[in-house]
Amino acid sequence: MDSLIILASASRPTCLETQIKNTYSTQCLQWHGLPKALLPVSGKPAMTWWLDEAKTLFKNIYIVTNAHNYKNYERWATGHDFPKDNILNCGFSTGPISDITFVHRVKDCRDGVSTIMMADFLYNNDDAWMLSLLKTSQDKTALYCFKDEQEKRMISVVLQPNALGALPSYVSNLNEWSTIDQEKELAMMISDHVVVDEKPAAARFMDEDLSLEEYLANWLDDAGTPCAMDPIHVKAYARVGLMGNPSDGFYGKTMSLLISNFWAEVTLLPQPTTEITIMSNPVADPRRFSTIASLAAICQEDGYDNGDRLLLACCKVFYTYCRDHDIELNTQQGFKVMFDTNIPRQVGLAGSSAIITAFWKALIQFYNVTSIPLEEQASLVLSVEQNELGIAAGLQDRVIQAYGGLVYMDFEKDYMEKHQHGKYEQLDISLVPPLFLAHVAHPEDSGKVHSTVKQRFLANDPEIIDAMKTFASFTDKARQALYDHNHHEFAQLMTANFEQRRKTYGDAVVGAVNLRMVELARQHRCVAKFPGSGGAIVGMWDGEDESTRTIDMLNLRHALEKEGYVFVNIIPKDSQS
């Protein structure tokens, strides 16, 4: 057989995933955020049960997932001898046809036969007939299904090269795509529907309405001890620096936008005792590994700095501030706390700041503290990273995550030194043009991009001082361009911001992969700049003929994905609530 494509990119959570997310027992807490295909069944992830058999049947196996679940599948791959390069991040899926064409476009495997299966297919020994069927059914395009209460349920699709060639025409218009039921479209495209006599033994596991109660009864023994008190949930969202960055760390001016595509979420569970417990995130901060090789690979990939330290440092700063400012806290009640995040790591989208901000707001809610102004909260969150953990960072991230929406920020030195915060102005997010985001799939440490600029600034290097003033001037001009609804001027300022950054830091620091993303954007009538410290770009279309916008953006997306980048259309977030 040629290729197996496993679709694990559904954007809507299943009933089981939702119920787990809303259950705060000791067992379910460790599954929060896990896709159903990776939930444990008899001691190992559900998908793992049939993967070993599939490896003997298919030359190549690809798993398509979305930006939210990518890290889960990447972590699973590391622990189960599955090539990480075959975990493909499609950004945000619009359906199976888009996902199939995405795989064949980026992996260039359009000439072979492809078998398509859903990730939550659960295999046991009684289903050996099904894999045998797929093994002997590679000579025609067909949809394989079974009868379930008079309704046909899809098991798999086998696509010949000629059928694959017909799929791209279905993804020619992104604006209309969200209204199309791609699964039904795919079924309609395939005339040969093979109804098998047997129903898969574990078919119920694949149902979207499978409940937590059924899952525990049939595939697990115990859900653990429930939480006795109502939990506190707080989300903090990713941000993109639209203009002026990185001058926020150099007494400059910036403009930043909160986006709803990615977020960090903290869950705080009140406890009847005084004890405080930091619960590790099994994906971001794993404590259990399938093998020692898996442990080594994960350490090689992610290093040793984990999210627990962010929560610990946040607790310390919060308590110390309240103590020093005579804010009374009820220390007779403790809590358990854990975090989850889908913000891509180390691509300059303020992922660590989001975790701290979410926890800070959860602590404020838990202890009922109402007297800390927003601008001061942003500075305190920054102090968690800068002073406690020694992380190089500017105020921009914490300000936008405190205020939400679109914010103009002025970090003028005298004002900052007097007030310990800048001047912040909330802008109307409807002024922002349509934006896109692209990022590298496997980033390096984003902090490296700052290089020696900070030291040169502190040494009053005139070149760096002038550069930061230039960044600040772009922000003032960009604000006026938005007020004037002059998107072309705003686009030109984005280009100027990037070129000034390139001049200030140099190509070696900016990095070839980052330069390539900007180059691809410009090849498709778009402009782009860094939204943070590197590893991602934020951009917009800047063509002259509006009729080419859709095809330009589609071609840009395909070009970026072909070279291994992840592309998403930005959805602004109007507030942090």
Side-chain angles (χ1 to χ4, degrees), residues 318-429:
F318 179 83
Y319 173 76
T320 303
Y321 177 89
C322 291
R323 181 197 63 195
D324 294 348
H325 290 78
D326 297 321
I327 299 174
E328 187 175 348
L329 302 179
N330 176 17
T331 59
Q332 296 307 302
Q333 184 179 17
F335 57 82
K336 294 181 179 180
V337 64
M338 65 180 297
F339 76 91
D340 191 15
T341 181
N342 54 42
I343 301 175
R345 289 170 59 99
Q346 297 179 341
V347 295
L349 298 180
S352 60
S353 173
I355 294 169
I356 297 170
T357 298
F359 187 31
W360 184 274
K361 293 187 175 186
L363 289 171
I364 282 178
Q365 187 175 337
F366 177 70
Y367 288 110
N368 194 28
V369 174
T370 60
S371 58
I372 309 176
L374 276 180
E375 60 269 20
E376 193 166 359
Q377 289 184 43
S379 297
L380 288 166
V381 169
L382 176 63
S383 75
V384 173
E385 295 193 71
Q386 275 192 340
N387 301 340
E388 296 297 318
L389 300 173
I391 298 173
L395 255 175
Q396 174 181 217
D397 302 356
R398 294 88 203 152
V399 172
I400 189 62
Q401 287 168 338
Y403 282 78
L406 175 67
V407 178
Y408 166 92
M409 311 172 199
D410 183 350
F411 303 104
E412 193 270 325
K413 184 176 181 180
D414 290 342
Y415 189 91
M416 285 283 295
E417 290 180 345
K418 180 178 180 180
H419 299 279
Q420 299 303 304
H421 59 77
K423 302 174 187 176
Y424 310 134
E425 178 186 345
Q426 201 112 32
L427 305 178
D428 184 353
I429 64 169

